[in-house]
Amino acid sequence: MLVGRLASLTLAHIICREELADIGHSKRLILHGKDYYTRSDNPDQRTVNALQTKVLELKKQRQAIILGHNYQRKEVQEISDFLGDSYGLSVQASKTDAKVIVFCGVDFMAESAKILNPEKTVLHPNLKAKCPMAAMVDAKSLRELKAEHPGAPVVSYVNTSAEVKAETDICCTSANAVKIVQSLPDKKIIFVPDTNLGLYVQRFVKDKEFVLWPGYCPTHMNIVKEELVKLKQQHPEAEILVHPECSPDVIDYADHAFSTEGIIRHVVSSPKTEFIIGTEENMIHRLRKEAPGKTYYAVPGATCPNMREITLEDVRDALEKLQYKIELPSDIIRKAKVPLERMIAAGR
Ligand code: 13P
Ligand code: SF4
C-alpha cells in the first residue's frame, strides 16, 4: 500500500516536515499529513495476551511498579499500574514503595522518576523513546540565558533533561504551569522550552514579562486549525479539546485546553457525548475506558512516534534483564530534585 502510494508520487508531492529525518530512528513517515509506520501498530491479540501475562508475572517477581503515560500504546496502557499525565506520574513516582519502577513514557519522565527516587532502580524500556522538545534546550544555553537576565527565576517545563532541571528554580507541567508562574513574586521569568505553553500561560498572567525559548512539540504542531474546522463541520455537536502545547490559533479555536489528565477529567464529568481530541491519539484508548459510550474523533497527524517506541516486548525485556537503568550524576540529582519537589508541592 505504502509502496504503491510512494510509486505514484513524485518527490515534489511528498510533504515531509522535520519528521523525515526521523524515519530511521522512529520509523515514521508523514505523507500528505498521514502517518505510516514501518512496524506493526496492530499486534495480534493472542501475542498481546501472552506478553501481558509474562509482563505481569515478571513484575511480581521483581516487586516492580509500571508507570505509563496517557500516550502509551493501548496494550502497554493495559499493563500499567498507574496511567496519567506528567504531573500525576511524578506524584506516583515520588510516593511508590516498589523496588523497581518501569517507566513507560519518554526519557525526561523516566529521569524525573529517578531524580525523585535516587535509591530505586528506574528502568526505561526503550532508549529511543526520547522527547524532541526536551532536547531543544541544554544546560549551557540556559546558563547563558540566565546570565542575560540576572535575577529572573527559571520555570522549566518538566519536558527537559535532568541537567536543565538542575539549572531551574521550579518545574511545571501543563497541568499547573499557570498556577506556578502566578505563585512567583518576580516580575520577569525565564520559561523554557515550550513557546506555545509559555504563550498559553501568558493569557492568564498579564503582569509579568516572559523570556521564552523557541522550543516546540512536533506532534502538537502537527495539529492544525484547518483539520479542526473540518472535523467540527462533520461533527457540529462535538466539543474540541486540545493540549496547551498546540499553537495559539488552535487553542483559540478549541473549546478548552487541558493537560492530558485534564482532558480525561473534563470528558468524564461533561454532559457532552462527542469530543474532538487535539492531542496524541492514543489518549482515546484511555478515554474509551474512563468514559465509555461517548464518541471521540482523533485529529489526523496527532501521533507521537517517540511515545510509541515502547512495546510490550520492551517492557518484558526491561523486567527480565533489568534494562535500561537510568543513571544520573549525584550532583545533578541533588540539584534537579529541588525544582521537581517544588512543582509537586504546588499541586495541580
Ligand atoms: P501531559 O503532562 O499533559 O501528560 O503532557 C506531556 C506531554 O508530553 C504532552 O505532549
Ligand atoms: Fe514530547 Fe510532544 Fe511527544 Fe509530548 S507529544 S512526548 S512533548 S514530542
Side-chain angles (χ1 to χ4, degrees):
M1 168 73 173
L2 174 57
V3 174
R5 266 177 171 270
L6 277 172
S8 66
L9 292 167
T10 66
L11 206 59
H13 286 111
I14 299 177
I15 301 170
C16 289
R17 303 192 183 178
E18 66 274 11
E19 285 84 351
L20 187 57
D22 281 344
I23 294 170
H25 163 70
S26 58
K27 304 162 193 78
R28 183 188 191 191
L29 173 60
I30 294 190
L31 295 177
H32 289 274
K34 281 185 114 331
D35 281 47
Y36 298 91
Y37 289 85
T38 55
R39 81 203 228 173
S40 170
D41 263 10
N42 297 307
D44 79 88
Q45 198 53 47
R46 273 172 59 188
T47 310
V48 167
N49 293 347
L51 280 165
Q52 287 182 328
T53 307
K54 183 71 187 166
V55 164
L56 296 178
E57 197 183 292
L58 289 165
K59 188 183 76 163
K60 211 166 159 188
Q61 278 170 24
R62 294 289 191 194
Q63 298 179 42
I65 185 173
I66 302 177
L67 301 181
H69 187 264
N70 289 325
Y71 293 164
Q72 287 297 289
R73 293 163 177 271
K74 179 172 183 277
E75 61 277 11
V76 174
Q77 291 192 15
E78 286 165 353
I79 46 90
S80 296
D81 294 294
F82 179 84
L83 278 172
D85 63 0
S86 311
Y87 181 80
L89 290 165
S90 301
V91 172
Q92 289 298 318
S94 70
K95 61 183 197 194
T96 181
D97 51 13
K99 282 196 172 149
V100 174
I101 300 173
V102 181
F103 207 108
C104 299
V106 282
D107 52 353
F108 73 83
M109 298 178 173
E111 277 189 359
S112 297
K114 182 66 183 178
I115 294 164
L116 293 164
N117 291 282
E119 72 298 340
K120 289 195 201 301
T121 299
V122 177
L123 305 174
H124 192 207
N126 187 328
L127 297 179
K128 285 189 276 176
K130 289 182 189 297
C131 171
M133 187 212 283
M136 288 177 191
V137 62
D138 60 274
K140 183 173 171 284
S141 312
L142 180 54
R143 277 194 294 272
E144 285 164 8
L145 191 65
K146 281 163 74 168
E148 283 171 37
H149 303 277
V154 176
V155 181
S156 288
Y157 192 21
V158 74
N159 297 41
T160 41
S161 66
E163 289 77 12
V164 164
K165 288 186 177 80
E167 295 289 334
T168 293
D169 293 285
I170 186 162
C171 291
C172 70
T173 74
S174 56
N176 60 11
V178 173
K179 184 175 173 178
I180 280 178
V181 172
Q182 276 170 341
S183 75
L184 299 172
D186 315 75
K187 277 277 165 257
K188 190 200 249 188
I189 61 144
I190 296 171
F191 190 95
V192 298
D194 188 12
T195 297
N196 285 342
L197 181 61
L199 292 173
Y200 175 75
V201 173
Q202 268 185 312
R203 292 173 187 236
F204 304 92
V205 185
K206 302 279 185 211
D207 62 338
K208 292 192 197 300
E209 184 191 337
F210 285 65
V211 178
L212 298 177
W213 187 260
Y216 63 95
C217 163
T219 301
H220 288 89
M221 289 299 271
N222 248 356
I223 298 174
V224 291
K225 184 180 162 189
E226 292 68 33
E227 292 290 354
L228 296 181
V229 171
K230 263 195 244 165
L231 283 167
K232 185 72 181 176
Q233 280 162 356
Q234 289 159 15
H235 312 288
E237 294 305 314
E239 199 171 35
I240 304 176
L241 307 177
V242 301
H243 195 275
E245 287 173 14
C246 290
S247 58
D249 65 324
V250 164
I251 295 178
D252 284 341
Y253 185 68
D255 292 295
H256 300 285
F258 295 122
S259 78
T260 57
E261 199 64 24
I263 291 177
I264 292 162
R265 290 177 181 195
H266 175 83
V267 166
V268 167
S269 62
S270 170
K272 299 229 173 221
T273 56
E274 285 181 71
F275 301 91
I276 294 164
I277 302 300
T279 192
E280 220 296 343
E281 66 171 296
N282 272 337
M283 271 277 296
I284 293 178
H285 302 303
R286 176 101 199 272
L287 285 163
R288 287 201 183 111
K289 191 163 166 251
E290 305 288 340
K294 299 197 178 192
T295 309
Y296 307 102
Y297 306 107
V299 182
T303 48
C304 175
N306 317 287
M307 280 283 186
R308 290 170 183 223
E309 288 287 358
I310 296 173
T311 62
L312 277 178
E313 285 91 338
D314 294 334
V315 182
R316 175 203 56 201
D317 293 350
L319 283 160
E320 224 159 42
K321 302 176 193 167
L322 286 182
Q323 68 184 23
Y324 298 93
K325 285 186 186 145
I326 301 281
E327 307 281 6
L328 294 166
S330 57
D331 62 319
I332 294 287
I333 291 186
R334 185 176 46 78
K335 290 183 196 157
K337 206 172 180 182
V338 175
L340 263 181
E341 287 185 340
R342 284 184 183 147
M343 175 194 88
I344 291 173
R348 275 188 190 279

